[in-house]
Amino acid sequence: MYPEWYPQEMVQLVFPHQDTDWKPYLQDAIDTFVQLAQIIQRYQKVLIITSNLAYTKSLFTNKKNLIFIKLPSNDTWSRDFGGITVSCGNKPTILDFQFNGWGKKYQYNLDNQITTKLKLKGIFKKYNYKSIPFVLEGGSIDVNSQGVLLTTTQCLLEKNRNPKFT
């Protein structure tokens, strides 16, 4: 598994909308996501997932390195529900783990489908893809470049995530 600091092809952002947990601060959140995307686009591609394509595109004058995809979402936490890239036989592979809203605390049905839908739209053409029937939030793990993965049993083995595992 590639650590956070390895070179990457793109950064994925899911834009806030009225139904996300950003609702009380929606305009501030949108402004922040725009600024974040503008900084990232100076260095690499930004994959922007949004439910309102025309509106989100209108927020950017410079669209260089921006890829816009219209998909519905429950929220914006790509780190937790997005695909995880690993190397399988020197071929980058997107692992699509299951996401269930941090142990079924929040709505997750749309977020859980995003990586699969991105694959179907051809976003991961250069990558192998594998669906994994295990609930995992990307933010619950950390890796280094030496084969070490850090996580907790409190998260991954919690009764509302993976009750069949010990």
Side-chain angles (χ1 to χ4, degrees):
M1 184 173 174
Y2 304 112
E4 292 177 345
W5 60 86
Y6 267 37
Q8 45 192 311
E9 182 181 351
M10 68 180 84
V11 171
Q12 176 177 303
L13 296 177
V14 177
F15 256 63
H17 53 79
Q18 191 67 25
D19 297 325
T20 63
D21 60 0
W22 297 107
K23 184 177 180 175
Y25 324 97
L26 186 57
Q27 192 56 57
D28 288 337
I30 290 170
D31 294 344
T32 300
F33 274 64
V34 168
Q35 290 173 5
L36 181 62
Q38 288 172 332
I39 291 168
I40 296 168
Q41 82 180 124
R42 293 180 199 161
Y43 307 98
Q44 66 186 52
K45 295 176 190 170
V46 184
L47 174 62
I48 297 175
I49 298 164
T50 179
S51 56
N52 189 335
L53 195 59
Y55 170 71
T56 304
K57 281 184 172 183
S58 77
L59 299 172
F60 297 90
T61 52
N62 176 7
K63 295 177 180 63
K64 181 183 178 209
N65 280 339
L66 301 180
I67 303 164
F68 296 91
I69 299 290
K70 182 177 181 174
L71 285 175
S73 67
N74 299 105
D75 219 320
T76 62
W77 303 102
S78 292
R79 178 195 70 171
D80 286 335
F81 58 74
I84 295 176
T85 310
V86 299
S87 177
C88 292
N90 294 326
K91 173 83 174 175
T93 300
I94 303 291
L95 300 182
D96 187 5
F97 286 89
Q98 299 303 301
F99 176 73
N100 74 353
W102 303 281
K104 301 180 182 177
K105 292 178 187 171
Y106 304 98
Q107 288 292 321
Y108 59 90
N109 61 312
L110 299 172
D111 295 342
N112 190 44
Q113 299 174 39
I114 288 176
T115 303
T116 301
K117 288 184 176 184
L118 289 172
K119 178 200 179 293
L120 294 173
K121 288 182 175 282
I123 296 299
F124 305 131
K125 286 184 252 184
K126 297 189 240 175
Y127 300 86
N128 289 331
Y129 169 90
K130 185 172 182 179
S131 178
I132 308 291
F134 183 84
V135 175
L136 175 82
E137 292 106 34
S140 71
I141 57 174
D142 195 15
V143 299
N144 65 12
S145 60
Q146 306 300 309
V148 175
L149 181 140
L150 177 67
T151 189
T152 68
T153 56
Q154 287 177 318
C155 181
L156 295 183
L157 300 182
E158 192 262 341
K159 66 180 178 176
N160 287 329
R161 288 184 178 93
N162 296 296
K164 296 178 183 177
F165 292 93
T166 62

